[in-house]
Amino acid sequence: MRTTPEMRGFVREALALLSRQRDLGGFEVYVSSSEHRVARLNYTSDIPSRGVEEFKSLNADGFALRIVTARDAHETGSAAIAGDLSIEALREALARARRAAIVDPHFPGLPAGPRRLARSAEKSPTPELLRAKDDLLAAVAWKIIGGAIGAFRARMKLAMPHPGLVIGGDLSLIRDRIAIGGSHFDDLRVDQSAHFASSVTALVEALDAKGTATATGVSAADLIRAGARLGRDAIGRALALRHGERPAAGTYSVVMGPQPIAEILNYMVIPSLTTGAFQAANSAYQGRFGTPVMDARFNLVDDPRTNAGAIRRRITCEGLPATATELIREGRLLGLLSNYYDAHRLLNDEHRAEKLGPDAPSDPSFPAHSGYRLGESSARRFDGHPGATGSNVIMSARGGMSERELLAAVAEGIYIGRVWYTYPINGQRAGDFTCTVSGDSYVIRDGRLAAPLAPNHFRLNANIEQVFARPIGIGRRPEPALVWGSPETYIVPALALDAITLSAIGAADSD
Amino acid sequence: MASSRKNRAADDGFGAIGFLRAAAEPALRRFLRANRGATYAEMRFEASFSRTASAVDGVPRDAAESANAALGVRVHCAAPGGVVGDGFTGVEVGRIATSRTKLAAALQSALAEAFDRARCSAREQTALRRTAPAAVVKALAAIGNVEPSTERAEVAATFRRDPRTLDPAELGRLCRSASAEIVGLGSDVAYNAVAALAELRHELFVNTAGANISQAFAFSQGDCYVVAATADGHQESYDTIGQQRGFECLADDWRDELTPNPGLHRFAVELARETREVAAAPLLKPPEGEVVVVTDPHFNALIAHEIIGHPCEADRALKMEAAYAGRSWFLRSLEHNEIGRPVGSPLLWACSDPTLNGYGHYLYDHEGTRGRRVTHLEGGVFRGFLNSRATAAALGVEPNGSARASEAWHAPLVRMSNTFFMPGESDPARMIAEVDRGYYVCGHLVPSIAESRENFRISARRVYEIEHGRIGRLFRSGSVIADSKSFFRAVDAVGNDLRLVAIPNCGKGQPMQVKRMSNGGPTLRSRARLGGG
């Protein structure tokens, strides 16, 4: 990865050159250096495997240039260059940005304010992981595999000739650094972060059992601790769920654990809580800004600085302070994730009143606290325009219940611990979603977890209103949850819900 | 930056292909000789150039010109005792590719990093094997010898209008004019976005076994997204047209037997008109139980993608994706699976064929294996998987050239190419005319599938009722829900109207790789439940 002084030095040189260009009314140089190291876990007892597959890294560094012409404040162009932080590369980017310039009447100018940030923003909150080597990642990845195999052997006293043991998942270490400066700032702004995430799935196909374990963290000590327990935990959960029941399709009361709630928030709610979604008229909360959109006990916040979350960011990829965005307070929609462009676009939209709705304040404000340039992971990249993305999404509630109380509230029903492939089946605005119950789930009887539920037995068809508008119980303790492919991490409670439609999936009957 | 004429590989990344075609092979071999334990090395390099433009609600939103170059390097290392570790490094080298010295240094650095990774992995696996029971050692050792490619080839891209010399303003005008016309359709169009892309990509694969394959690709893609809101309801629709051709296929109507498309302007405006019509249509109130459904080629593209293509990927079938995108309903285990068994109607045939001119076309995969047609369903009988060299070895079959990465910095995964249901003999109009009561399901929107893809719910852009052989009322928010095998077995007519559809964004892997491909099929008639809004 590029060092902070190297990136800072390039931005400084670039700004000096750009400030001499008479045709420019404004400019911004953004540099990023990122690394995503991954060890994929793949042990299969009855199929040849390598244990750890694709032990790999993806490294990317480069810079993006945005210009505004002096002749027209709405004429803007951009270009990105990979791999080369030189003045020659900057000249090439400048020529490209000039060629690509367009007049966008809605372009609000480059993000501004505050003109200067405190230098403390440069300190890394995660120095250990920024320096971690492959040795550590390899040792922890194989520790997870070894831990899972050991736990399986210890728990399964009778040897099975073909258990169909599958240990899958990954251990990922994500690190990034950014530096940004421009005509609209008085200082150069630098940020860096590192975190790890691991998701481990254990299947024992002969027992129709599946269990998962996940971890995120920001220190090497957390990583080592996670390695010691993840494989063992996944196996333990899988074996607790062997030979699950297959109840009939129907309408059930359910408890949804943190992972399903995170998944539904990730695919159904968070994409609707952006200024871009309201501008595009495709938010599930269209026309409802300022109104109750969830149960009055819910609060929803995105916080890139919380110590509770794995993602730590001090500035956005637009150079603005990355601070918490309060999205929902006591069930009422109060804020939206936003980048600079989308915030201005919505605020100046002639149909704003209709898009936000009658209960929106007459002078709404959408601070651009969420303008990140991300690729296919949560690492910050140099190319692409800033989107509006969350970081650590935290759902909390007042008056929460213990897990025992949630189960008692349901009495007879299903505990859903993991869902999969949750998509807005009729478009984001409709709020309808479908997914399948893929593991970590139980049948609830007499207010207790009575028996495991067979994985992949139920398809769930519902609307976000059924989940968040009228839960019959809310968990007291929000817990971390990962969603595959999501740039955000989630800290959310379990919920008890009434009248959820579950349809049965036919057996694959391949055997 | 050093810029002497001798040192320059080229003015852009494309010029580095020639330099690396000659220089990479000896460099990889030197690396093997210099590093004890290193047994194999390969390098993938790619240079790309793209122009993009977009317009939103009739106003220019974005235009960009991007060039990039990247390396992907794999090294195997044998530890004492024989355990082989695998390491991969992907680097976006970008503009470094214009300097021979820096590019060669980047290659050496990537090789060293990948080797170190392979060595760490081999060491840790060796340690685990010392304490693990014999069955575990046997499972880890059973992958077998994977012979690397030794192919040598050069494949040119096909295009009339080179993305590099395209006037950027032309893309912008095309998007803006289409988007503006959509705005003019009426105030019920709440939002529209039209985007165009023209890209040229040149890839090189070199390994220490002697493979040296250069392939170039041209991509053109148009996308449209429309939201319409009426007093009766709202509808979001999006669609893509894409060809492995130059900009000529977006500027005008493109006539091609398998993948014809209207020009981007007409395509976008037609989608917007349809979206308005659907927004004003009533919500589908799904009938009880199974009904007859006639599904059009665009809808069947997503069934082919989710229910044939993905579960036919051997890495998924061999449980390597179990923690992410799930397993395959075609393979429970190596002993218990659907190979050679009927899973559908005798009328149903399906295959993947990268040699066809679809959006998923290629001649060699990213392990240097020549791509070829793979038959998945033959008269309803399941025949086989797409594979990589390692998964082919695990299954005991020949590699069929299906290992593909979205970019050179990603490790290849088993991927679809042009995957589709093959045409039958029925006239689609007659297939509808023969239905007394049923539904005609057109255009795919959103899929949701069960973990092994043994069940699906896929939403449609439009659902019409069929009464007494005639198409009747239009409904919105309809979807088809079925168990995969039941749906395939109930197919009683297959149309003669095969069409392929560009799929621009298939995600797979960790981290996610987003890949272009095509899927499709003819009109099908089967039975399923319907979902509504």
Side-chain angles (χ1 to χ4, degrees):
Chain A
M1 284 176 69
R2 303 271 185 172
T3 63
T4 303
E6 191 180 4
M7 293 163 66
R8 177 184 277 279
F10 172 72
V11 174
R12 190 175 288 120
E13 268 192 275
L15 296 182
L17 185 144
L18 291 166
S19 64
R20 295 195 293 271
Q21 309 301 310
R22 291 188 176 177
D23 64 327
L24 300 187
F27 45 83
E28 172 194 271
V29 179
Y30 167 85
V31 187
S32 77
S33 182
S34 63
E35 184 186 71
H36 189 159
R37 295 190 195 200
V38 184
R40 284 190 66 170
L41 312 174
N42 178 44
Y43 173 80
T44 41
S45 63
D46 298 275
I47 293 172
S49 64
R50 289 177 169 141
V52 169
E53 281 279 346
E54 292 180 30
F55 188 17
K56 62 192 177 185
S57 68
L58 296 86
N59 308 324
D61 55 62
F63 69 93
L65 169 67
R66 284 206 282 184
I67 59 168
V68 184
T69 66
R71 68 183 172 203
D72 186 338
H74 297 294
E75 187 174 29
T76 178
S78 62
I81 298 275
D84 189 0
L85 302 185
S86 70
I87 288 303
E88 194 181 341
L90 180 75
R91 288 200 175 97
E92 185 181 321
L94 183 55
R96 282 193 189 159
R98 282 175 172 138
R99 279 200 297 271
I102 54 167
V103 176
D104 175 357
H106 304 303
F107 178 68
L110 296 166
R115 296 222 33 121
R116 183 174 292 279
L117 285 183
R119 285 291 291 265
S120 62
E122 290 181 25
K123 288 178 187 167
S124 167
T126 54
E128 275 179 309
L129 280 187
L130 276 166
R131 293 191 294 268
K133 304 275 191 234
D134 280 340
D135 300 50
L136 177 63
L137 210 60
V140 173
W142 280 99
K143 181 88 177 168
I144 294 170
I145 296 283
I149 292 170
F152 181 71
R153 284 176 50 78
R155 297 280 297 272
M156 296 298 295
K157 298 296 183 194
L158 291 173
M160 299 167 69
H162 297 290
L165 173 63
V166 179
I167 302 159
D170 73 288
L171 176 61
S172 294
L173 179 56
I174 295 160
R175 315 191 254 214
D176 60 19
R177 282 194 186 101
I178 63 169
I180 186 168
S183 54
H184 47 301
F185 295 144
D186 289 337
D187 54 354
L188 302 187
R189 300 173 182 190
V190 178
D191 192 19
Q192 55 186 344
S193 72
H195 73 278
F196 76 86
S198 182
S199 175
V200 182
T201 295
L203 290 116
V204 187
E205 293 185 305
L207 304 176
D208 201 13
K210 179 179 181 181
T212 56
T214 59
T216 60
V218 295
S219 74
D222 287 345
L223 175 60
I224 292 164
R225 272 194 295 273
R229 69 164 179 83
L230 281 171
R232 192 180 62 220
D233 288 357
I235 288 288
R237 285 174 193 155
L239 293 178
L241 288 159
R242 66 182 97 175
H243 298 311
E245 293 187 7
R246 294 179 177 272
T251 300
Y252 287 90
S253 295
V254 305
V255 174
M256 280 195 184
Q259 190 277 341
I261 297 302
E263 179 122 344
I264 295 165
L265 285 172
N266 181 73
Y267 287 107
M268 300 299 305
V269 175
I270 292 299
S272 280
L273 295 178
T274 67
T275 45
F278 274 80
Q279 170 60 27
N282 67 6
S283 171
Y285 304 114
Q286 203 71 24
R288 297 173 65 190
F289 195 85
T291 69
V293 295
M294 290 186 177
D295 185 280
R297 289 167 288 180
F298 282 125
N299 298 309
L300 191 66
V301 174
D302 179 64
D303 189 351
R305 295 188 176 216
T306 178
N307 286 335
I311 293 173
R312 308 279 170 90
R313 296 193 183 121
R314 306 294 182 100
I315 58 172
T316 70
C317 298
E318 297 182 304
L320 303 178
T323 57
T325 302
E326 190 177 26
L327 300 165
I328 289 169
R329 187 200 306 158
E330 295 181 346
R332 194 176 295 274
L333 175 53
L334 294 182
L336 300 174
L337 301 173
S338 192
N339 59 42
Y340 194 71
Y341 183 99
D342 288 347
H344 281 256
R345 182 71 191 90
L346 181 59
L347 288 171
N348 295 291
D349 190 320
E350 57 180 315
H351 301 296
R352 186 187 80 196
E354 180 190 339
K355 288 179 173 178
L356 291 177
D359 291 322
S362 57
D363 57 343
S365 165
F366 300 111
H369 289 159
S370 311
Y372 297 110
R373 309 178 203 226
L374 306 178
E376 287 124 14
S377 74
S378 55
R380 290 172 279 194
R381 283 184 58 88
F382 58 91
D383 51 359
H385 288 293
T389 318
S391 51
N392 304 299
V393 177
I394 303 165
M395 175 172 256
S396 59
R398 62 181 159 75
M401 297 173 162
S402 66
E403 183 173 289
R404 177 182 291 187
E405 290 167 328
L406 286 174
L407 295 171
V410 163
E412 306 289 322
I414 305 294
Y415 177 90
I416 300 174
R418 182 159 294 268
V419 297
W420 190 74
Y421 227 101
T422 305
Y423 273 170
I425 196 73
N426 291 321
Q428 189 172 282
R429 185 164 162 171
D432 298 331
F433 67 93
T434 185
C435 55
T436 57
V437 180
S438 61
D440 297 328
S441 299
Y442 295 85
V443 177
I444 302 170
R445 290 191 196 104
D446 297 327
R448 292 184 297 113
L449 298 179
L453 178 77
N456 312 312
H457 171 61
F458 277 138
R459 173 175 289 286
L460 194 158
N461 298 296
N463 186 284
I464 51 175
E465 292 284 311
Q466 292 172 269
V467 180
F468 299 110
R470 40 182 185 275
I472 56 177
I474 301 174
R476 184 178 295 150
R477 195 163 59 94
E479 292 179 28
L482 286 178
V483 178
W484 174 44
S486 170
E488 292 104 6
T489 67
Y490 288 84
I491 303 168
V492 296
L495 303 182
L497 310 171
D498 202 11
I500 296 295
T501 304
L502 299 172
S503 59
I505 295 170
D509 65 1
S510 10
D511 47 353
Chain B
M1 177 181 193
S3 59
S4 74
R5 193 172 178 80
K6 188 180 170 190
N7 181 43
R8 287 190 74 81
D11 290 332
D12 59 23
F14 291 94
I17 296 277
F19 162 64
L20 285 173
R21 280 207 86 176
E25 206 171 322
L28 296 181
R29 289 195 170 134
R30 274 198 304 277
F31 185 84
L32 246 57
R33 286 197 298 273
N35 291 278
R36 194 162 58 170
T39 56
Y40 170 77
E42 70 182 34
M43 179 213 74
R44 290 186 294 121
F45 173 81
E46 77 183 16
S48 62
F49 176 93
S50 65
R51 284 191 194 287
T52 54
S54 66
V56 172
D57 293 338
V59 170
R61 175 65 181 91
D62 185 28
E65 176 187 308
S66 312
N68 203 352
L71 281 170
V73 167
R74 182 184 296 282
V75 177
H76 291 172
C77 171
V83 171
V84 176
D86 175 284
F88 181 89
T89 297
V91 193
E92 287 178 64
V93 292
R95 207 166 169 280
I96 278 176
T98 60
S99 159
R100 288 184 181 186
T101 313
K102 289 188 175 178
L103 184 57
L107 174 59
Q108 286 301 317
S109 171
L111 283 165
E113 199 177 313
F115 177 60
D116 192 44
R117 215 157 268 149
R119 198 164 46 185
C120 286
S121 194
R123 186 181 62 224
E124 295 293 335
Q125 188 182 154
T126 302
L128 182 131
R129 286 195 194 191
R130 280 196 203 105
T131 55
V136 173
V137 174
K138 189 178 164 194
L140 287 172
I143 197 93
N145 190 24
V146 180
E147 288 294 328
S149 168
T150 56
E151 298 262 9
R152 300 178 83 85
E154 186 166 5
V155 183
T158 307
F159 57 85
R160 283 208 299 271
R161 300 186 65 187
D162 188 334
R164 292 172 296 186
T165 56
L166 202 59
D167 177 2
E170 189 177 352
L171 261 77
R173 277 196 303 272
L174 182 58
C175 295
R176 194 172 66 249
S177 69
S179 181
E181 187 170 334
I182 293 171
V183 170
L185 292 177
S187 59
D188 51 351
V189 177
Y191 180 85
N192 84 81
V194 180
L197 166 135
E199 180 178 311
L200 194 65
R201 180 180 289 221
H202 202 148
E203 302 174 352
L204 179 65
F205 175 87
V206 176
N207 69 11
T208 47
N212 195 315
I213 300 165
S214 148
Q215 291 185 99
F217 302 86
F219 295 98
S220 292
Q221 183 177 310
D223 301 283
C224 182
Y225 175 70
V226 184
V227 180
T230 70
D232 299 313
H234 54 85
Q235 171 76 7
E236 297 165 45
S237 294
Y238 55 86
D239 203 358
T240 293
I241 49 176
Q243 304 283 350
Q244 285 203 21
R245 289 288 186 274
F247 184 66
E248 61 273 9
C249 68
L250 297 186
D252 298 303
D253 292 355
W254 183 250
R255 291 175 179 81
D256 182 279
E257 192 182 348
L258 287 178
T259 59
N261 64 253
L264 177 57
H265 187 111
R266 188 157 73 88
F267 162 78
V269 172
E270 283 176 0
L271 182 72
R273 288 200 174 106
E274 176 196 293
T275 309
R276 295 178 71 211
E277 185 188 1
V278 177
L283 274 174
L284 178 70
K285 297 296 175 197
E288 284 291 319
E290 282 190 352
V291 293
V292 174
V293 290
V294 179
T295 51
D296 83 343
H298 195 286
F299 186 84
N300 292 333
L302 201 48
I303 298 182
H305 183 94
E306 299 290 359
I307 309 303
I308 295 289
H310 277 312
C312 280
E313 294 162 349
D315 53 355
R316 194 174 303 244
L318 296 175
K319 327 289 181 184
M320 295 164 73
E321 291 278 319
Y324 307 108
R327 294 168 291 169
S328 167
W329 66 288
F330 295 129
L331 192 135
R332 171 82 175 171
S333 68
L334 291 178
E335 294 75 29
H336 302 286
N337 55 61
E338 302 285 10
I339 298 170
R341 298 176 62 178
V343 297
S345 153
L347 297 172
L348 210 53
W349 294 62
C351 73
S352 295
D353 192 341
T355 67
L356 296 176
N357 286 329
Y359 211 37
H361 164 73
Y362 59 88
L363 291 185
Y364 292 88
D365 78 357
H366 289 144
E367 294 181 328
T369 311
R370 195 171 174 89
R372 60 178 173 83
R373 177 174 284 212
V374 179
T375 299
H376 305 306
L377 299 186
E378 184 181 61
V381 174
F382 182 70
R383 289 300 177 202
F385 296 99
L386 301 163
N387 64 37
S388 60
R389 299 181 91 84
T391 55
L395 287 165
V397 298
E398 286 294 308
N400 54 34
S402 308
R404 302 274 290 167
S406 56
E407 285 90 12
W409 64 81
H410 282 298
L413 309 166
V414 180
R415 285 298 214 157
M416 278 173 259
S417 53
N418 304 306
T419 299
F420 54 96
F421 295 107
M422 293 157 78
E425 295 177 350
S426 298
D427 171 14
R430 189 161 183 80
M431 289 166 67
I432 293 168
E434 290 167 350
V435 176
D436 184 42
R437 288 186 68 83
Y439 291 84
Y440 183 39
V441 180
C442 302
H444 66 253
L445 272 180
V446 178
S448 176
I449 68 272
E451 194 261 2
S452 294
R453 294 169 194 257
E454 71 277 27
N455 169 280
F456 62 89
R457 178 175 177 179
I458 295 177
S459 57
R461 293 220 307 257
R462 291 169 288 140
V463 177
Y464 299 90
E465 66 185 355
I466 305 173
E467 286 218 29
H468 309 304
R470 290 188 159 180
I471 290 176
R473 283 182 300 168
L474 168 68
F475 297 99
R476 66 185 158 87
S477 297
S479 52
V480 173
I481 306 171
D483 290 334
S484 304
K485 191 182 277 189
S486 305
F487 183 81
F488 284 179
R489 282 182 168 164
V491 168
D492 68 355
V494 176
N496 57 11
D497 54 341
L498 170 63
R499 285 276 305 276
L500 296 186
V501 174
I503 301 289
N505 56 352
C506 172
K508 183 179 177 183
Q510 176 69 359
M512 191 79 81
Q513 298 186 37
V514 179
K515 190 98 185 101
R516 298 164 177 145
M517 56 196 57
S518 72
N519 294 108
T523 299
L524 299 177
R525 191 172 64 205
S526 183
R527 295 184 65 81
R529 284 176 293 134
L530 293 183

